[in-house]
Amino acid sequence: MANFKAVGRIVGSPLNGLCERMCLHVETVTDACRTRRESQSATLTLSDMPTGAPFTFVDAVETGDTAFVVESSCALNDGCRRVRGTLRIPVNVRFTDASGNCGCASGILELARDLSLRVPTDNGASYRYDADVMLVCTSGAFLSDSAVALSYCIVETYRVLLSADVLVPTYGYAVYPDCNECDGCAELINGRLFPETR
């Protein structure tokens, strides 16, 4: 198998093995920004709480299904827009009840945001706003049977995504290596789909 057909570092001339121009339908990032916030606090209302109060907070994690709901977007200068909206972050909270049993409930952390982002100036461009977060909960405590106070830090990334057809040079379709059988967790955790090419 030729090295240029496997995923990995390019060895030698990058022109070796180029064989076609391929059109890819992708979302390109035309603008983006990132913000880091420490020592934040919020009250989260939880759904589907069981009986068995009082509850003791264990931890809270975001689920990765964050959405940025745009409420208004108005033109500024130099192709920028003022974008106001709500960042909606689903959060799972783990806890123990009065009997020591473990439980989990979910809630939506909603954060108002006001941003300046550059957008494509072509009237026919199809773009959208996107966001993702990394949230670390540092502490929490139940305020009632269905509400919890959280302290957290958060990194938020916002993007303007443009739907586009991009022409790129390629080496053709990838050839995957054979699968290796795995007997243990260590091999699973440390293994890689594509070995280093030499």
Side-chain angles (χ1 to χ4, degrees):
M1 177 176 67
N3 284 340
F4 60 81
K5 288 290 189 181
V7 172
R9 293 184 180 275
I10 294 176
V11 178
S13 171
L15 300 178
N16 180 36
L18 282 178
C19 59
E20 64 182 336
R21 294 183 298 273
M22 184 177 289
C23 183
L24 302 179
H25 183 71
V26 297
E27 285 188 313
T28 60
V29 178
T30 62
D31 195 21
C33 63
R34 178 170 287 164
T35 181
R36 297 168 177 84
R37 303 170 193 262
E38 297 183 81
S39 304
Q40 302 294 294
S41 60
T43 299
L44 190 66
T45 301
L46 302 174
S47 60
D48 301 324
M49 287 295 293
T51 57
F55 302 108
T56 302
F57 178 86
V58 175
D59 66 9
V61 294
E62 52 94 7
T63 66
D65 297 322
T66 297
F68 182 49
V69 181
V70 175
E71 289 145 11
S72 68
S73 174
C74 59
L76 296 174
N77 53 7
D78 297 330
C80 290
R81 296 189 73 82
R82 181 179 183 182
V83 182
R84 286 184 276 194
T86 301
L87 189 62
R88 304 182 82 247
I89 308 169
V91 177
N92 288 338
V93 175
R94 292 191 300 176
F95 54 86
T96 56
D97 64 15
S99 301
N101 298 314
C102 296
C104 182
S106 60
I108 303 289
L109 181 60
E110 295 191 338
L111 306 171
R113 294 295 182 252
D114 193 342
L115 308 168
S116 173
L117 290 166
R118 187 177 305 278
V119 300
T121 55
D122 182 356
N123 290 334
S126 174
Y127 68 88
R128 66 182 180 90
Y129 302 105
D130 180 65
D132 60 38
V133 303
M134 292 179 287
L135 182 145
V136 175
C137 181
T138 54
S139 64
F142 275 86
L143 303 175
S144 69
D145 293 352
S146 60
V148 63
L150 299 178
S151 296
Y152 63 94
C153 53
I154 187 170
V155 177
E156 306 166 22
T157 304
Y158 298 89
R159 301 178 187 88
V160 178
L161 299 178
L162 172 67
S163 180
D165 295 327
V166 179
L167 194 64
V168 297
T170 78
Y171 299 92
Y173 292 101
V175 176
Y176 292 144
D178 293 335
C179 291
N180 296 318
E181 295 296 327
C182 180
D183 290 348
C185 286
E187 291 181 33
L188 176 64
I189 298 302
N190 297 322
R192 288 182 295 202
L193 174 60
F194 298 102
E196 285 290 329
T197 55
R198 297 174 196 256

